[in-house]
Amino acid sequence: MHKLLRLAALALLLQPWNLIGQITGDVTVVPGVKYEIGGIRITGSDNLDKQVITLISGLQVGQEITLPGDATTKAIENLWRQKLFDDIGIYVTEVKGKLVFLEIRLKELPKLSKYGIKGLSKTKRDNLRDELDLSSGLIVTENLIVNTRNIARDFFVKDGYLNTKVEVRKKADTTRSNSVILDIIVDRGERVKIRNINFIGNEKISDKKLRKAMDETVRSRIWNIFKSSKLIEDDYDADKDLIITKYNSEGFRDARIIKDSIYAVDDDRINIDIYVKEGPKYYFGDISWLGNSKYSDEVLSKVLAIQKGDVYDASFLNERLFVDPQGGDVSSLYLDNGYLFFNMVPVEVNVQNDTIDLEIRIQEGRQATINKVTVVGNDRTNDHVILRELRTKPGELFRRSDIQRSLRELQQLGFFDPQKLNVEPKPNAETGTVDIQYIVAEQSTSQLELQGGWGAGRIVGTLGLNFNNFSARNMFKKSAWQPLPAGDGQTINLRAQSNGLFFQSYSASFTEPWLGGKKPNSLTVSVYHNIQNLTGLPSDDPDYQGLSITGATVGLGRRLKWPDDYFTLYQAIDFQRYRLRDYPLGGIRFEDGRVNNINYKITLGRNSVDFPIYPRKGNLFNLSGEFTLPLSLLNGRDYSTLDASDRYEWLEYYKIKMNSSWFTEIFPKTVIKAAGEFGYLGTYNSEVGLPPFERFFVGGDGLQNFVLDGREIIGLRGYPNNRIVPTSVSQIGGALYNKFTLELRYLITENPSAQIFTLGFLEAGNNYDTFQNYEPFNLKRSAGFGVRIFMPMFGLLGVDFGYGFDPIPGATAPSGWNTHFIIGQQF
């Protein structure tokens, strides 16, 4: 409007009765007479090139014009279109015969000096700045102000703040000429919640089922724990598609949303009305196959698993043909046998009443073999570390299942961002080959572990450094230390744990996952030293009481192919030396001396989870045994007459443990975990009895590597650390335990830099002194909730709040609420 008024005023100014004698007082032009422009002067524009302005106006020296006329009017229009000026005028300054001299007087629009945002937190201000994309030097037009206001409002409206108000105030910058400062004042108000979602026109599917089909857009109800009842525009659009998907799955393939309306019913409440047209319900009729020679109609129909008379569900048909998550679809049948050039199209050949007949047309093509396999995006990790994990090898038949398994193995390495892992097959139909390119994005792999908890009546802290993806062969290359040699997939773990003089633990380990580089056979070497000081005095003090344990382990692991290649076998030899000095072992007359423990460990494990941090499906299983030499059965000594120092000079025992976890995704991002554990410590010779070490202590957070007099700690939330121990052996621990866990997990964010999920749990377990006293269903029960956050630098961090329903041994009242801090990788 402002521009139109100026054009109108200018048009009046250039009328003959205004133009003659009006500009300079003595200048007279004759209307309708042609004049030649003798010169053009530009005034009022210091920042723009005057020749460019003249060129834009369309006027030029030597041009014949009439005054007033179309040439000057068009010149003004041309200049207005640049949106650079606040005022434009063309004046006659001199007339010499048929020569006329013009002046183009301009007033430039101000430039943006700086701007500020008020009414928001710093984080929100920064986010809005990224959205506005304003910078110093921009020409401040009315259009810029309007756009700024709209962008700022839309930024919050799309996040559910429907009542957002934005004001943009302009003020002169007195420190800079022709410059202004913009103040952007935002009042978001409260997020508007959805009071109700109404469906109109639905007769075959209830409102309740349609609301349930919507993934994110829900009504405001107290039981909406994980979903927001705010209206988010993008989520709402996606949910409307889900409504149609729900109808399609029920056989209503023609269903559509006619319209929808959103209207306020209160200051912070809205209703949504969705009008649907359902259409008729359809059923599958005859399904025939055309073009198949590799597999018979019977085989394909069995894989398809759709019968005549089933409700017509286009999404289920598509899943059975192309995208079964378990790989049991028709497409997988072909693609897992090399038919990369396979093509399949379902065609509706007859629609009669409510029945649809289908013909599935197949072009099998030729089998494809793999030509080249390459990797891009690995800046630190060497190619051979990635290629050795891949199941796709040059010269072999192309199989989609091999690609899926390869991606899973790359995820398990932990070196790459799982959200950015990708694969690009590049088929060549002429040669019948395919090149496969894997795309990875490196992420931080080394971790700083800061761990704290309450144990043995004191605060225990841990400092750990885990160097993953280490490269031992480059240790002596100065250029490789950035900050450490990396790229060969090896692991170095350094850990120190202490609560001061009373307890100290030091350990170091090295793992080579591919010993020799040709097969996935791992080598692990570790050493450790633990000190338990009961008095807090130096070791050379006469009143010192303590225990130290020094040990070393060498282990070999390999990946098995049977029963399937998710299984691994790990074997190790472990040597420990215990040194006791005036150290009481709880009822056993053995306080001074040395104890040796050399044992053989074997573990059969299976890991088929899809993601290492937040598994959605698959299971973890471990069956392990730990065995010492049965010396008492071989040396002929009468152990019933030996004192404790001789009896335990060499420990004798066997330990059997089993644990398993299952993960099932019941809803998107929502997973159920079921887990169970069992452990048993046995003896070869009743005269020797069970050793005072290697016992089980149950309860608490289960801090890993918290080694105290050789004990093994089993976490049980809702109870204090190490307090669930049979009263008869409370000081040295139990010999048999079991534990059961049920968790409901929900993934809040899967951002690789900070994955966050919440959980609720039910847990139960107990600890027993002998197998004769074992009561598998006499359990200490607990329930609670917690949160986990995974950050690559620190690993998995979390806190759990658990309520123990039963008393700890020796008490009568329930354990009650206990807080547990979780640090370190735990499933």
Side-chain angles (χ1 to χ4, degrees), residues 110 115 251 266 288 322 425 483 503 520 542-543 631 646 743 778 806:
Y115 71 97
D266 207 338
S288 59
F322 302 104
F503 171 74
D543 295 326
L631 295 176
D646 291 327
E743 284 186 0
N778 178 19
D806 300 292

Side-chain angles (χ1 to χ4, degrees), residues 105 122 215 249 251 309 376 429 447 480 490 638 672 693 700 750 752 784:
R105 297 179 187 174
K122 182 180 185 305
D215 190 29
S249 69
V376 296
Q447 295 177 358
Q490 298 156 349
D638 183 3
I672 285 182
F693 309 104
E750 52 188 341

Side-chain angles (χ1 to χ4, degrees), residues 796-820:
L796 194 68
L797 313 175
V799 60
D800 287 334
F801 303 94
Y803 184 87
F805 296 101
D806 300 292
I808 62 175
T812 57
S815 174
W817 285 104
N818 286 266
T819 302
H820 309 287

Side-chain angles (χ1 to χ4, degrees), residues 414-605:
F415 303 158
F416 311 112
D417 182 350
Q419 305 302 318
K420 296 179 181 179
L421 276 176
N422 201 1
V423 61
E424 290 183 357
K426 299 177 181 179
N428 187 328
E430 293 182 0
T431 60
T433 62
V434 57
D435 294 337
I436 301 176
Q437 183 177 81
Y438 290 89
I439 302 170
V440 301
E442 301 270 12
Q443 67 178 8
S444 176
T445 56
S446 297
Q447 295 177 358
L448 171 65
E449 181 181 348
L450 297 173
Q451 181 169 294
W454 184 263
R458 300 179 180 92
I459 294 176
V460 180
T462 297
L463 172 63
L465 297 174
N466 301 318
F467 300 113
N468 298 316
N469 203 7
F470 186 73
S471 176
R473 64 174 178 161
N474 291 326
M475 286 186 62
F476 301 104
K477 292 183 179 179
K478 184 178 180 180
S479 60
W481 288 78
Q482 298 178 355
L484 290 171
D488 283 340
Q490 298 156 349
T491 300
I492 289 182
N493 183 289
L494 305 174
R495 179 175 284 105
Q497 188 175 44
S498 177
N499 67 355
L501 290 174
F502 294 96
F503 171 74
Q504 298 173 51
S505 175
Y506 308 96
S507 64
S509 66
F510 170 81
T511 299
E512 166 55 73
W514 283 66
L515 185 62
K518 294 183 178 180
K519 292 184 179 181
N521 299 327
S522 65
L523 168 67
T524 299
V525 179
S526 63
V527 293
Y528 49 92
H529 180 63
N530 308 310
I531 302 172
Q532 175 65 39
N533 185 337
L534 297 182
T535 60
L537 299 172
S539 60
D540 57 357
D541 192 288
D543 295 326
Y544 174 84
Q545 291 180 282
L547 164 70
S548 67
I549 306 174
T550 303
T553 304
V554 177
L556 292 173
R558 65 190 182 98
R559 191 179 299 165
L560 303 179
K561 295 183 178 180
W562 186 89
D564 61 39
D565 59 1
Y566 288 110
F567 277 89
T568 57
L569 182 68
Y570 175 79
Q571 302 176 79
I573 298 294
D574 181 34
F575 174 76
Q576 296 175 324
R577 170 161 286 184
Y578 299 77
R579 293 181 178 88
L580 293 84
R581 181 174 163 185
D582 197 16
Y583 188 88
L585 283 175
I588 298 177
R589 288 189 167 183
F590 180 33
E591 296 183 351
D592 291 279
R594 295 184 177 183
V595 177
N596 300 298
N597 179 9
I598 184 168
N599 60 75
Y600 164 72
K601 297 178 180 178
I602 182 169
T603 301
L604 178 67

